Amino acid sequence: MLELRLVQGSLLKKVLEAIKDLVNDANFDCSATGFSLQAMDSSHVALVALLLRSEGFEHYRCDRSISMGMNLGNMSKMLKCAGNDDIITIKADDGSDTVTFMFESPTQDKISDFEMKLMDIDSEHLGIPEAEYHAIVRMPSAEFARICKDLASIGDTVVISVTKEGVKFSTRGDIGTANIVLRQNTTVDKPEEATIIEMNEPVSLTFALRYMNSFTKATPLSNTVTISLSSELPVVVEYKIAEMGYVRFYLAPKIEEDEDETKPQV
Amino acid sequence: MLELRLVQGSLLKKVLEAIKDLVNDANFDCSATGFSLQAMDSSHVALVALLLRSEGFEHYRCDRSISMGMNLGNMSKMLKCAGNDDIITIKADDGSDTVTFMFESPTQDKISDFEMKLMDIDSEHLGIPEAEYHAIVRMPSAEFARICKDLASIGDTVVISVTKEGVKFSTRGDIGTANIVLRQNTTVDKPEEATIIEMNEPVSLTFALRYMNSFTKATPLSNTVTISLSSELPVVVEYKIAEMGYVRFYLAPKIEEDEDETKPQV
DNA sequence: TGCAAATCGG
DNA sequence: CCGATTTGCA
């Protein structure tokens, strides 16, 4: 028996908006710890990891660990039927091949329940090692989204370069080149507008903008985003979910070509 | 060496939105006087003239007159990457075949630079004589845009007729006819809502609405538009750019056919 | 039906 | 000034 009651149902709606374009089908893993998901995107290039800790739910009952395969498109369709301030409860009976989403309007005047068939999905659950990163950039998520969108109108890939002074996003395309530099700025009153750079050593990595722009679908989940970079390691783009956990996206850097002209230089 | 710093960068963004649909490629001419452009539209029917006077720039350095051929679509793409209250600087080195657009966010925390290849464009720079017009109508630009859009849903051409009493916009199409009359009104408190008619002699001219509706893309540049009419002269549709200059569109009238039914009468 | 532009509200 | 919503267009 599984029963997870989430008062801020809009969180779950946003989570699905954030990942459903990247991943079609995935197993949600439910244990005493929390509600989580780990899946490769459909082209097996990027990886999504979601965690919603049990403490973030108003009520969390999970008698035994269970893995539930869902079609995220269909799940998203159902969650769209929930109001933004509905309370959402996820329910599943032991051995059942369905999951039920229950939506309660704030006034309790409207109670909906949507039942969805589960799927069998084989998933290789990857252990993702905690790694040391050469540089970690924390910045406003809206700004990151804007930069990825702007650069995608010029080129296909972005070079992210971090130095102590700031972070530079560069691209190059048929019509020209673009460089966007953000200075470190911690002095603002509002911490969510700060750009903070923790750097152990300078790093410069190239990524496909197409994936970055998928990741930024998670922008509504958090005012800030954290980008963790190391040479030869996948970048981690993390959106924290207040009080509950995170959505993290992993993407391997493109191997740099030897011709200097193919990419902008630091 | 060229370096033009425009504090109100949104002006340049709006200028490109206003003209990029009409003109694909054009030479921007930069001299001590200012930054200007003159180009025929791609079907060689209408003419666009832009002037941004040097006094309107915060910093204006243009060592020697230079003509820079740009693809306006690509230039517009790059300017879309500037924030609406960014400061925009246009830079070009002598003899370089590229131009650089630099965008500074108001807080100076984000500095972007976009480099674009220049093109070789042959352009016949027409001297446009100052002419005496039979009638000059000044009216709210939004109202003019609305009229052109409305009339285009009925017919293909507009007859603009000016008398002392007012200005009439007429069209005729398969489904019927339309006449919109604006009375002269100078009495309003707000001068940008006035409709002012200076008339030396009555005039009635026919124009293709397709072009008029392209011209109205410049509406965001100014609250008012000035329409200058003379028989046998191209109409001038002018949007003033505060403190800096103008965008002017020129369009030859259609030669009137002899059948009375082909056009509405005054 | 889905996307983009315009408008309104925060 | 930006974001969200609504509306019109393809």
Side-chain angles (χ1 to χ4, degrees):
Chain A
M1 172 73 179
L2 175 90
E3 198 168 295
L4 320 183
R5 184 178 163 91
L6 180 64
V7 173
Q8 198 181 343
S10 61
L11 277 187
L12 194 61
K13 286 164 64 90
K14 288 178 191 165
V15 163
L16 263 101
E17 287 309 299
I19 64 180
K20 74 166 206 294
D21 291 339
L22 213 50
V23 179
N24 298 127
D25 305 305
N27 285 313
F28 281 87
D29 297 311
C30 194
S31 71
T33 323
F35 192 64
S36 67
L37 169 152
Q38 200 189 90
M40 299 297 290
D41 84 291
S42 26
S43 53
H44 275 253
V45 172
L47 187 142
V48 184
L50 162 74
L51 173 63
L52 298 175
R53 284 186 214 89
S54 50
E55 305 90 86
F57 292 84
E58 192 211 32
H59 171 73
Y60 193 95
R61 175 177 171 186
C62 177
D63 297 348
R64 51 193 188 79
S65 293
I66 184 177
S67 185
M68 296 181 291
M70 307 195 199
N71 175 290
L72 300 194
N74 293 341
M75 179 174 173
S76 171
K77 271 191 191 170
M78 292 189 168
L79 291 180
K80 279 196 176 147
C81 303
N84 267 329
D85 35 35
D86 282 5
I87 297 168
I88 297 182
T89 304
I90 302 170
K91 290 184 190 177
D93 288 324
D94 287 334
S96 165
D97 64 344
T98 64
V99 62
T100 298
F101 302 107
M102 191 177 91
F103 310 142
E104 301 165 61
S105 74
T107 58
Q108 298 288 323
D109 291 333
K110 180 182 177 187
I111 313 273
S112 321
D113 63 85
F114 289 71
E115 188 176 292
M116 187 178 79
K117 276 222 182 61
L118 294 175
M119 315 167 59
D120 252 327
I121 300 168
D122 17 285
S123 67
E124 348 83 74
H125 192 94
L126 313 172
I128 300 167
E130 288 290 319
E132 282 292 302
Y133 287 92
H134 293 164
I136 299 178
V137 177
R138 189 161 84 78
M139 61 183 284
S141 57
E143 179 118 62
F144 179 63
R146 172 71 193 258
I147 289 169
C148 291
K149 175 176 144 280
D150 282 349
L151 292 188
S153 74
I154 309 291
D156 297 326
T157 60
V158 57
V159 180
I160 306 181
S161 311
V162 183
T163 62
K164 207 113 205 169
E165 287 69 41
V167 53
K168 180 161 85 166
F169 302 88
S170 305
T171 194
R172 168 181 296 257
D174 293 340
I175 71 170
T177 65
N179 299 285
I180 300 174
V181 177
L182 296 188
R183 271 195 347 193
Q184 158 134 243
N185 80 0
T186 57
T187 55
V188 275
D189 301 340
K190 301 169 187 169
E192 69 259 23
E193 289 177 14
T195 298
I196 298 164
I197 294 167
E198 286 173 45
M199 194 200 71
N200 298 315
E201 65 182 274
V203 62
S204 177
L205 295 167
T206 305
F207 303 97
L209 277 166
R210 180 183 149 207
Y211 289 100
M212 287 292 172
N213 274 311
S214 283
F215 302 166
T216 61
K217 296 279 196 293
T219 303
L221 280 168
S222 173
N223 287 323
T224 62
V225 62
T226 306
I227 304 159
S228 305
L229 300 141
S230 268
S231 353
E232 317 293 318
L233 266 189
V235 64
V236 187
V237 179
E238 170 171 326
Y239 296 83
K240 287 214 163 23
I241 301 170
E243 320 292 325
M244 293 206 70
Y246 55 76
V247 178
R248 289 179 187 157
F249 301 97
Y250 297 80
L251 178 66
K254 295 211 154 201
I255 302 310
E256 321 255 333
E257 294 147 40
D258 277 342
E259 312 165 58
D260 283 342
E261 315 87 57
T262 57
K263 62 186 178 60
Q265 290 301 308
V266 189
Chain B
M1 172 73 181
L2 176 90
E3 198 168 296
L4 319 183
R5 183 178 163 93
L6 180 64
V7 173
Q8 199 182 341
S10 60
L11 277 188
L12 193 62
K13 285 165 65 92
K14 287 178 191 166
V15 163
L16 262 102
E17 287 310 298
I19 64 179
K20 73 167 207 293
D21 291 339
L22 213 49
V23 180
N24 297 127
D25 304 306
N27 285 314
F28 281 86
D29 296 311
C30 195
S31 72
T33 323
F35 192 64
S36 67
L37 169 150
Q38 202 189 89
M40 299 296 290
D41 84 288
S42 25
S43 52
H44 275 252
V45 172
L47 188 142
V48 184
L50 162 73
L51 173 64
L52 299 175
R53 279 186 274 282
S54 52
E55 305 90 85
F57 292 84
E58 191 210 33
H59 171 73
Y60 192 96
R61 175 177 171 187
C62 177
D63 298 345
R64 53 194 187 78
S65 293
I66 185 178
S67 185
M68 296 181 290
M70 306 196 198
N71 175 288
L72 300 193
N74 292 342
M75 180 175 172
S76 170
K77 265 193 191 173
M78 290 187 168
L79 292 180
K80 280 196 175 147
C81 302
N84 268 331
D85 36 32
D86 281 4
I87 297 168
I88 297 183
T89 303
I90 303 171
K91 290 184 193 179
D93 288 322
D94 287 332
S96 164
D97 64 343
T98 63
V99 61
T100 298
F101 303 107
M102 190 177 94
F103 311 141
E104 299 166 65
S105 74
T107 58
Q108 298 288 324
D109 290 331
K110 180 182 179 186
I111 314 273
S112 316
D113 61 87
F114 288 70
E115 186 175 293
M116 187 177 78
K117 276 219 186 61
L118 295 175
M119 317 167 59
D120 253 326
I121 300 168
D122 16 285
S123 67
E124 348 83 74
H125 192 94
L126 313 172
I128 299 168
E130 287 289 318
E132 283 291 304
Y133 287 93
H134 293 164
I136 300 178
V137 177
R138 189 161 82 79
M139 61 183 287
S141 57
E143 179 124 56
F144 179 62
R146 174 65 193 261
I147 288 170
C148 292
K149 176 175 143 280
D150 285 350
L151 293 188
S153 73
I154 310 291
D156 297 327
T157 59
V158 58
V159 180
I160 306 182
S161 311
V162 182
T163 63
K164 208 112 202 168
E165 286 69 43
V167 53
K168 181 162 85 166
F169 302 87
S170 306
T171 195
R172 167 182 296 259
D174 295 340
I175 69 170
T177 65
N179 298 285
I180 299 173
V181 178
L182 296 187
R183 268 197 349 192
Q184 159 133 243
N185 81 0
T186 57
T187 54
V188 276
D189 301 339
K190 301 169 188 169
E192 68 259 23
E193 289 178 13
T195 299
I196 297 165
I197 295 168
E198 286 172 45
M199 195 199 72
N200 298 314
E201 64 182 274
V203 62
S204 177
L205 294 166
T206 306
F207 303 98
L209 277 166
R210 176 181 154 210
Y211 290 99
M212 287 293 171
N213 274 310
S214 282
F215 302 166
T216 61
K217 295 279 196 293
T219 302
L221 280 169
S222 173
N223 287 322
T224 63
V225 62
T226 306
I227 304 160
S228 305
L229 300 141
S230 269
S231 351
E232 316 293 318
L233 267 188
V235 64
V236 186
V237 179
E238 170 171 327
Y239 296 83
K240 287 216 166 15
I241 301 171
E243 319 292 325
M244 293 206 71
Y246 55 77
V247 178
R248 290 181 186 152
F249 301 98
Y250 296 81
L251 178 65
K254 295 213 155 201
I255 302 308
E256 321 256 334
E257 294 148 42
D258 277 342
E259 312 164 59
D260 283 341
E261 315 87 57
T262 57
K263 63 186 177 61
Q265 291 301 309
V266 188

